[in-house]
Amino acid sequence: MINKIVVVGAGQAGVQAAQTLRQKGYEGELVMLGNELQPPYQRPPLSKKFLSGDVEPDALFIRPEAFYETNNIDLKLNAHVDSIDLTKKNLTLASGAELNWDKLVLATGTRARALPLPGADLEGVISLRSIGDVQLIKKLFVPGKKLVVIGGGYIGLEVTAVAKGMGLDVVVLEAQERLLKRVVSPHVSSFFHELHAGKGAELYCGTGVTSIEGANGRVAAVKLADGSEISCDLVLSAVGAVPNAELAGAAGLDVDDGVLVDGAGQTSHEDVYACGDCVRFFSERYGRSIRLESVQNAIDQAKAVASALTDPDQDHSHDYDPLPWFWSDQHHIKLQIAGLSDGYDEAVLVGDTSSDSFYVAYLEKGKLIAVDSINHPRSHMMARRVIGQKWEEGLLPPA
Ligand SMILES: Cc1cc2nc3c(=O)[nH]c(=O)nc-3n(C[C@H](O)[C@H](O)[C@H](O)COP(=O)(O)OP(=O)(O)OC[C@H]3O[C@@H](n4cnc5c(N)ncnc54)[C@H](O)[C@@H]3O)c2cc1C
């Protein structure tokens, strides 16, 4: 009999875990602890429509405030969990308060990776992960200012698009030889390169940054590996995220670039589960361990955790092995990704990259493993249905 479940982290995964626990009939005490000040909110709009001013903060909230009361979820904000004691089955908040639990769900997400460069602490060097970050950035994004974006991944490029729309000069510096290299094929990388260049951003790939130079404590320039400098007013650090897994590690749970869980979301301790960005798990689908940073994963893994907790008589250890999917909005383009393409041996371009609507199917030994769709939602939805089976030629939708 479970009397008390505590969820640590009030983000996409934490809220979904709490909601599904109630939907599946869990009637015991349910506490959710989040260390931010705002009610749980969605992050994807932060680098898109919230930054551009097209949506208000209220539209970001995952559920209306009344949801927590109606579902008897004791949501505590500004409540940072400092430590967990697995033997006593309790935890300690930064305030010193202690809380016991029968089952614990860790949904602590990720944080922006720190820029490992001299000058990274100068005023004007920013990163984007929270509502507070965006509120600060909005004040700094003044037309005519020059922004250097370090990192040509999703967040760097989404911010580039919005910043150009707001009238800033933008320079993107990517250390790899092409944009989005970790996640898309060369076709898609060059499409986005041309998209941003066509909108007036300057983009340099294969370009390492050695330091950020300041004047009077404020950022003034970025120094490149070849010794040249780019003067600027602002620097966005967009070099990825790291899992908030230290809390779990310090408690004695198995951690390796994420909290390690099985297909039920169960950690190395039978009463502790974890879900969302902070988690790494072995995927039988991909034959390796993966850590995903996506809304799909946060929601679906949280549902798997809640199912396992409310149905303890079944073996759920192989339940969660998703087909990952993701999206990114840049200028007028929606990129949708179904599946993980790394390891592909053939990329089939369907359509014309100059048309703003095409897709790339990735095959490994003849089997479809992923599809990147550019303004082509039909291929995305179809890919999500058929991946895992052999992609028959007749199933390919026209470009
Ligand atoms: C700018 C941006 C744009 C994105 N765009 C997309 C997109 O287009 N599509 C997509 O699929 N995904 C996108 N993502 C990723 C997506 O938002 C995440 O995958 C999702 O939010 C993960 O949910 P989560 O609950 O695991 O983590 P989070 O949403 O990060 O929530 C974790 C919460 O736990 C809190 N916490 C951490 N440690 C503690 C502690 N010790 N005590 C108490 N609370 C704690 C954190 O402060 C945070 O509030 C984007 C992310 C960002 C930052």
Side-chain angles (χ1 to χ4, degrees), residues 8-14 33-36 41 43-44 46-48 79-82 107-110 128-129 155 158 244 247 275-278 293-296 298 325-328:
V8 181
Q12 196 85 54
L33 305 167
N35 61 5
E36 295 189 74
Y41 58 90
R43 291 179 201 278
L46 296 182
S47 49
K48 309 176 181 78
H80 182 83
V81 176
D82 262 354
T108 49
T110 51
L128 197 167
R129 177 85 210 156
I155 293 179
E158 288 178 356
N244 291 321
L247 180 68
C275 48
D277 281 14
C278 68
E293 292 171 14
S294 70
V295 170
Q296 168 277 317
W325 56 266
F326 196 84
W327 77 94
S328 175

Side-chain angles (χ1 to χ4, degrees), residues 35-38 41-47 50-51 60 110-112 127-138 155:
N35 61 5
E36 295 189 74
L37 300 177
Q38 301 85 359
Y41 58 90
Q42 312 166 57
R43 291 179 201 278
L46 296 182
S47 49
F50 184 56
L51 180 60
L60 300 181
T110 51
R111 60 183 181 275
S127 60
L128 197 167
R129 177 85 210 156
S130 67
I131 287 188
D133 293 337
V134 180
Q135 285 165 339
L136 169 73
I137 291 172
K138 275 181 172 176
I155 293 179

